[in-house]
Amino acid sequence: IRNPEAGAESDPGSALQAELRPYQRTGLDWLWFMTRLGLGACLADDMGLGKTIQVIALLLVLKRGQKAEHDLDGDEPRSSVLVVPASLIANWKSELERFAPSLRVLYAHPSETPAETLTEIARDPATRLADYDLTITSYSMVSRLTWLKTPEWNLAILDEAQAIKNSGARQTRSVKELRAIGIAPE
């Protein structure tokens, strides 16, 4: 765990429209390593050092691996879920469009997606979510959109996780109901 060098298997390739700094590359390798072990991870550093780009790069690595796995065995790729404070949805949207335009993203929040679309997804989340690599929602929407707790997500990513520090809060209990396998394809 102290030396998680992953090399080529954790390289997001040309799908990442950015160059990772060496410490970001090390962070990505570590996230990939922890994901392959099926372990949760907390990525914490000073503001502005690139946690967002490391997570985006990890999602691209997972997408590439799932595509290869799908081509071999026909299993449908799983979507990941990212839970953020509502005030950060626009920032994530901008960063994803800039650095990873190939990721297919569903914004499960009424500020980005019409209520009718969210209702339609609720009728058959497994089928509808197969169209996306990532679903982004807010902490408060996890309580409101109960279908978010239905799928087994590839990864459950929490940005600004201090939002769930109160273990007795409804918001915290709802987020803890999300299910993720957290294991990347070999």
Side-chain angles (χ1 to χ4, degrees):
I1 292 179
R2 291 184 185 198
N3 195 5
E5 295 177 20
E9 66 185 30
S10 67
D11 183 3
S14 62
L16 181 65
Q17 305 293 305
E19 186 73 30
L20 295 174
R21 294 184 174 110
Y23 66 88
Q24 293 170 330
R25 180 62 205 195
T26 299
L28 171 59
D29 287 347
W30 182 75
L31 288 170
W32 173 250
F33 180 73
M34 298 300 281
T35 300
R36 290 195 58 206
L37 292 176
L39 299 174
C42 179
L43 187 58
D45 63 27
D46 291 335
M47 192 167 118
L49 291 181
K51 294 178 291 293
T52 301
I53 193 98
Q54 291 173 66
V55 169
I56 291 170
L58 177 63
L59 292 166
L60 289 167
V61 171
L62 290 172
K63 179 178 180 168
R64 185 189 68 223
Q66 286 186 341
K67 182 183 180 325
E69 189 175 87
H70 175 67
D71 291 346
L72 290 175
D73 62 20
D75 283 349
E76 284 299 318
R78 282 193 167 96
S79 182
S80 292
V81 63
L82 169 63
V83 185
V84 303
S87 62
L88 294 182
I89 291 174
N91 180 64
W92 273 94
K93 184 176 184 178
S94 172
E95 298 286 294
L96 286 160
E97 289 171 352
R98 178 177 173 195
F99 298 122
S102 66
L103 284 177
R104 299 164 302 159
V105 183
L106 167 67
Y107 296 91
H109 194 274
S111 67
E112 295 289 332
T113 305
E116 302 81 41
T117 302
L118 295 175
T119 300
E120 187 177 317
I121 293 169
R123 290 187 189 115
D124 187 11
T127 302
R128 293 299 308 270
L129 291 172
D131 295 336
Y132 300 98
D133 301 308
L134 177 65
T135 298
I136 297 180
T137 194
S138 68
Y139 284 97
S140 62
M141 292 308 292
V142 174
S143 298
R144 295 181 196 147
L145 300 175
T146 57
W147 58 264
L148 288 167
K149 300 168 196 161
T150 303
E152 190 171 69
W153 301 97
N154 195 25
L155 294 178
I157 305 159
L158 308 180
D159 190 7
E160 303 292 340
Q162 72 269 14
I164 62 165
K165 66 183 176 186
N166 181 348
S167 63
R170 178 178 180 227
Q171 179 170 284
T172 302
R173 290 191 316 269
S174 288
V175 169
K176 287 182 176 182
E177 291 177 34
L178 294 172
R179 298 176 306 128
I181 59 169
I183 299 174
E186 295 292 325

